[in-house]
């Protein structure tokens, strides 16, 4: 089994747009069915099946012929990843885990309420990034010796990942370019965003083509890892 932990990008937020459009919905109708107006967890079976078919966890797992799990619902924080790892031994046989893929998300989602000044916030964020990655790795090692790999949505994690966690870092390969974060990939390739693929869409997440790129990059990293899967 492969464990994928992240946020709405790992979940595949918005991928169902292609399904809805192909089945006759207008962009205006689609926008009204999107979070926060409607939660992704309430979609019908075929809509959710389409999302699951095309999000990168499924593409990676299909390649390796492994079962997989993600967090229960859409969205999430880095603290959520820590809490899920804490509870994992109570929910499954961790000896059956083949590897972990951890997708880091927006740091400020974990920002304590008591930090008020910008100076305090900047100091907290700088310390937070490395500490949070080490905390996640520590939790993984408590429950399993399986390999783990790390990717990130936001580019503010780039420096620390390249400098201190490079061996575990999943770099994204596209058009002979290499990107560290989903954010960079999308900034330089606007067509990989849903709101560029579907004009007037309110969804800023990555589209099906982008999930294929991410999946291919994960597969390449795993297959070229020193540890056999």
């Amino acid at each position: 089994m492969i464990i994928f932990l992240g946020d709405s990008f790992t979940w595949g937020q918005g991928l169902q747009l292609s399904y809805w459009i192909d089945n006759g919905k207008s962009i205006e109708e689609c926008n009204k069915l999107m979070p926060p107006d409607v939660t992704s967890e309430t979609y019908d079976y075929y809509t959710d099946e389409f999302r699951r078919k095309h999000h990168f966890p499924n593409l990676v797992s299909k390649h390796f012929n492994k079962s997989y799990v993600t967090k229960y619902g859409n969205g999430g924080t880095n603290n959520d990843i820590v809490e899920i790892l804490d509870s994992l031994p109570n929910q499954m046989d961790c000896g059956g885990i083949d590897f972990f893929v951890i997708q880091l998300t927006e740091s400020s989602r974990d920002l304590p309420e008591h930090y008020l000044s910008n100076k305090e916030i900047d100091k907290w964020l700088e310390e937070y990034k490395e500490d949070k990655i080490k905390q996640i790795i520590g939790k993984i090692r408590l429950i399993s010796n399986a390999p783990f790999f790390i990717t990130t949505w936001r580019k503010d994690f780039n420096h620390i990942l390249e400098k201190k966690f490079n061996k575990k870092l999943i770099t994204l390969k596209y058009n002979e370019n290499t990107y560290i974060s989903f954010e960079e990939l999308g900034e330089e390739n606007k067509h990989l965003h849903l709101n560029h693929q579907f004009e007037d869409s309110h969804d800023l997440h990555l589209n099906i083509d982008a999930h294929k790129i991410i999946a291919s990059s994960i597969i390449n990293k795993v297959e070229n890892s020193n540890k056999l899967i």
Side-chain angles (χ1 to χ4, degrees), residues 32-219:
K32 291 177 182 178
L33 291 171
M34 294 297 230
D37 298 321
V38 178
T39 61
S40 300
E41 293 83 355
T42 63
Y43 294 155
D44 65 73
Y45 174 84
Y46 293 105
T47 297
D48 194 57
E49 181 187 42
F50 188 91
R51 170 194 66 83
R52 288 178 59 87
K53 179 180 178 181
H54 293 285
H55 73 162
F56 69 79
N58 182 64
L59 300 178
V60 172
S61 301
K62 184 177 180 180
H63 174 86
F64 288 110
N65 192 25
K66 299 290 183 180
S67 61
Y68 76 98
V69 293
T70 64
K71 67 185 292 289
Y72 299 129
N74 192 10
T77 70
N78 295 318
N79 280 345
D80 287 342
I81 294 173
V82 172
E83 291 177 4
I84 291 168
L85 290 170
D86 262 337
S87 64
L88 214 55
N90 297 322
Q91 300 180 30
M92 63 177 292
D93 175 10
C94 292
I97 297 173
D98 291 280
F99 61 92
F100 297 81
V101 176
I102 304 297
Q103 179 243 304
L104 300 170
T105 186
E106 174 64 53
S107 301
S108 63
R109 291 177 179 175
D110 293 330
L111 189 67
E113 293 181 1
H114 67 272
Y115 282 90
L116 301 177
S117 72
N118 289 335
K119 185 177 180 180
E120 287 178 315
I121 290 173
D122 290 343
K123 182 176 183 295
W124 181 88
L125 287 172
E126 194 57 38
E127 295 173 348
Y128 164 92
K129 293 165 194 171
E130 182 174 353
D131 289 347
K132 188 56 60 178
I133 296 172
K134 287 181 176 179
Q135 186 182 15
I136 289 170
I137 293 172
K139 296 294 183 183
I140 290 173
R141 283 293 160 257
L142 281 175
I143 62 176
S144 174
N145 289 320
F148 64 90
F149 305 93
I150 303 173
T151 187
T152 180
W153 163 30
R154 290 296 200 189
K155 60 187 176 184
D156 62 345
F157 273 103
N158 285 12
H159 176 69
I160 189 66
L161 287 172
E162 286 186 290
K163 184 178 179 181
K164 297 195 175 182
F165 304 96
N166 190 262
K167 290 184 178 180
K168 298 298 183 181
L169 173 61
I170 298 163
T171 53
L172 309 173
K173 311 286 187 179
Y174 182 58
N175 282 348
E176 299 184 356
N177 294 316
T178 300
Y179 306 95
I180 305 299
S181 64
F182 299 175
E183 186 175 24
E184 285 179 307
L185 176 68
E187 284 177 347
E188 293 193 19
N189 304 279
K190 301 293 187 185
H191 62 284
L192 295 177
H193 282 283
L194 288 164
N195 64 321
H196 280 259
Q197 180 182 359
F198 302 103
E199 189 176 356
D200 296 326
S201 170
H202 293 171
D203 200 306
L204 306 179
H205 286 79
L206 297 174
N207 63 19
I208 288 173
D209 288 338
H211 276 257
K212 290 178 181 177
I213 294 166
I214 296 168
S216 176
S217 299
I218 294 171
I219 291 166

